[in-house]
């Protein structure tokens, strides 16, 4: 049953997330802001995802299961939007989780920001498959327009971090189901260019835990993501007004080099270089791109190996530090 007094439509697109969907649902039901309607869209899962959702719905009527044939996250989100009515929309992926204050804090930020803000996003923590937090993902706070969305490679970072005015979807349409990846990023860029509330706003609080990519999940297919992203960048970078369009390609080129997609990275590096070497050298991402681009195949292989070792050590260090903090809190409780 839909909640006629709901402020937020919470939508969880779910596909084969049986090990984690229960935790995601529990994090929604634990929200301190209670005025929400909750729809879980099972996107044709072949595991026990739907069964777990049904079990949750049987004991809490705020959970509503909508089932569809497998058609991708964009279609699942579109279906959830159509099935809901609240003036704000928030998506929580089936393998992520929210802090109990996610909805309350996001609504408070939306209320005190300019009327031109259509989307509020928060900071993200990164967790392993088992739920252990291993890193903090820095994201800029405050106003974020189209140029910043592109030059800083999607500051909202993941689809579970946003609160969105329903009017944005009314004005710009549904998620593009023809894209195999970058579906959410394309929507955010569309809102920033075609809606009457084009600004995004960063909330300083860490309110969402994002699970690291699982083997087989759509975002783990880097080749498909880079192909889709190339299409999105070509369409929207030309609409940048404050910054050079080449800056939209800097971070994607670095990511592609890191993942070993040198052909894609090289093409994007050519676009980035149009902004000028001086412009690229002004920040760490531009300098990183120049280093990767000039290193050559052997040099890039060494850079990847070094980075992977540093990354694993950093995750281990953060996990140990957080474990120590939690242990100290438990002793004081």
């Amino acid at each position: 049953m839909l909640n006629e007094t709901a402020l937020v439509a919470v939508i969880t697109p779910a596909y084969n997330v049986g090990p984690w969907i229960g935790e995601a649902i529990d994090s929604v039901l634990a929200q301190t802001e209670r005025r929400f309607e909750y729809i879980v869209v099972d996107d044709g899962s072949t595991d026990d995802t739907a069964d777990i959702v049904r079990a949750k719905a049987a004991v809490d009527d705020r959970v509503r299961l909508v089932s569809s044939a497998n058609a991708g996250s964009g279609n699942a989100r579109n279906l959830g939007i159509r099935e809901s009515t609240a003036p704000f929309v928030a998506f929580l992926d089936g393998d992520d989780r929210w802090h109990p204050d996610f909805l309350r804090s996001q609504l408070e930020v939306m209320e005190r920001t300019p009327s031109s803000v259509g989307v509020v996003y928060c900071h993200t923590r990164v967790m392993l498959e088992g739920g252990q937090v291993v890193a903090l993902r820095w994201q800029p706070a405050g106003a974020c327009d189209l140029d910043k969305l592109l030059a800083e490679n999607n500051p909202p970072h993941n689809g579970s971090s946003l609160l969105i005015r329903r009017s944005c979807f009314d004005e710009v349409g549904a998620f593009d189901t023809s894209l195999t990846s970058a579906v959410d990023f394309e929507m955010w860029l569309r809102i920033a260019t075609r809606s009457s509330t084009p600004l995004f706003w960063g909330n300083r609080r860490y309110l969402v835990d994002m699970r690291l990519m699982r083997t087989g999940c759509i975002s783990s297919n880097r080749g498909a993501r880079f192909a889709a992203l190339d299409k999105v960048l070509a369409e929207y970078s030309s609409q940048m007004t404050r910054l050079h369009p080449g800056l939209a390609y800097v971070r994607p080129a670095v990511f592609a080099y890191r993942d070993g997609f040198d052909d894609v990275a090289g093409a994007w590096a050519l676009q980035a270089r149009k902004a000028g070497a001086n412009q690229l050298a002004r920040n760490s991402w531009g300098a990183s791109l120049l280093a990767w681009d000039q290193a050559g195949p052997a040099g890039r292989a060494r850079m990847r190996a070094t980075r992977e070792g540093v990354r694993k050590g950093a995750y281990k260090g953060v996990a140990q530090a957080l474990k120590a903090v939690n242990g100290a809190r438990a002793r004081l409780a």
Side-chain angles (χ1 to χ4, degrees):
M1 180 179 297
L2 294 179
N3 182 351
E4 294 181 357
T5 64
L7 278 180
V8 185
V10 179
I11 299 167
T12 291
Y15 176 69
N16 287 353
V17 287
W20 309 284
I21 185 63
E23 185 178 11
I25 292 173
D26 288 345
S27 77
V28 174
L29 300 180
Q31 290 297 298
T32 55
E33 169 57 66
R34 314 296 286 178
R35 295 168 294 176
F36 63 84
E37 55 180 322
Y38 188 25
I39 298 172
V40 180
V41 181
D42 177 51
D43 185 36
S45 295
T46 57
D47 66 356
D48 60 350
T49 294
D51 292 335
I52 294 172
V53 179
R54 290 190 191 96
K56 293 286 185 181
V59 298
D60 195 318
D61 62 7
R62 291 176 296 173
V63 181
R64 179 184 171 204
L65 173 64
V66 174
S67 298
S68 70
N70 179 245
S73 65
N75 181 74
R77 291 179 181 185
N78 290 340
L79 180 55
I81 292 171
R82 292 196 300 270
E83 291 287 331
S84 62
T85 61
F88 296 98
V89 176
F91 302 103
L92 175 64
D93 286 352
D95 53 358
D96 293 341
R97 67 190 179 206
W98 281 341
H99 184 283
D101 286 338
F102 176 88
L103 291 178
R104 181 185 62 79
S105 181
Q106 298 284 75
L107 285 166
E108 288 177 351
V109 172
M110 183 72 79
E111 184 177 356
R112 65 174 181 261
T113 53
S115 59
S116 56
V117 172
V119 182
V120 170
Y121 62 91
C122 66
H123 285 6
T124 296
R125 303 192 309 176
V126 177
M127 61 179 169
L128 300 177
E129 286 194 16
Q132 182 184 28
V133 173
V134 293
L136 304 177
R137 182 80 68 173
W138 183 88
Q139 289 146 278
C144 180
D145 62 1
L146 172 71
D147 288 46
K148 196 168 186 178
L149 281 171
L150 284 164
E152 299 192 12
N153 191 55
N154 190 16
H157 187 67
N158 70 90
S160 298
S161 73
L162 304 95
L163 177 75
I164 308 163
R165 295 185 189 274
R166 177 176 293 274
S167 60
C168 291
F169 300 111
D170 294 337
E171 292 174 353
V172 308
F175 284 90
D176 185 351
T177 57
S178 70
L179 291 173
T180 57
S181 187
V183 178
D184 52 353
F185 191 28
E186 191 279 332
M187 173 56 78
W188 314 153
L189 295 172
R190 211 184 324 154
I191 289 173
T193 54
R194 303 181 194 174
S195 79
S196 60
T197 52
L199 276 183
F200 286 58
W201 199 277
N203 182 349
R204 295 181 183 276
R205 294 189 61 187
Y206 286 89
L207 298 170
V208 59
D209 291 344
M210 180 191 72
R211 210 170 300 269
L212 280 178
M213 292 181 298
R214 298 173 284 110
T215 301
C217 71
I218 191 167
S219 57
S220 69
N221 188 340
R222 293 293 193 176
R225 178 164 182 79
F226 290 149
L229 184 57
D230 186 59
K231 178 181 178 181
V232 171
L233 292 175
E235 179 177 356
Y236 288 99
S237 63
S238 62
Q239 301 181 55
M240 295 171 69
T241 57
R242 293 186 300 102
L243 303 173
H244 191 285
L247 297 180
Y249 289 87
V250 174
R251 298 192 193 198
V254 172
F255 297 145
Y257 272 135
R258 286 177 179 176
D259 288 341
F261 288 79
D262 285 10
D263 289 345
V264 174
W268 286 347
L270 286 175
Q271 294 296 325
R273 283 180 175 276
K274 292 179 181 179
N278 290 337
Q279 182 85 299
L280 295 181
R282 289 177 185 175
N283 64 71
S284 60
W285 284 100
S288 179
L289 171 60
L290 293 175
W292 281 98
D293 197 39
Q294 296 168 3
R300 286 193 284 269
R302 290 191 295 271
M303 291 169 70
R304 291 183 193 110
T306 300
R307 180 178 180 274
E308 185 61 23
V310 171
R311 186 182 184 187
K312 288 180 178 179
Y315 279 161
K316 183 178 180 180
V318 172
Q320 290 174 340
L322 289 172
K323 183 178 180 180
V325 169
N326 290 334
R329 288 175 176 171
R331 289 191 295 271
L332 292 172

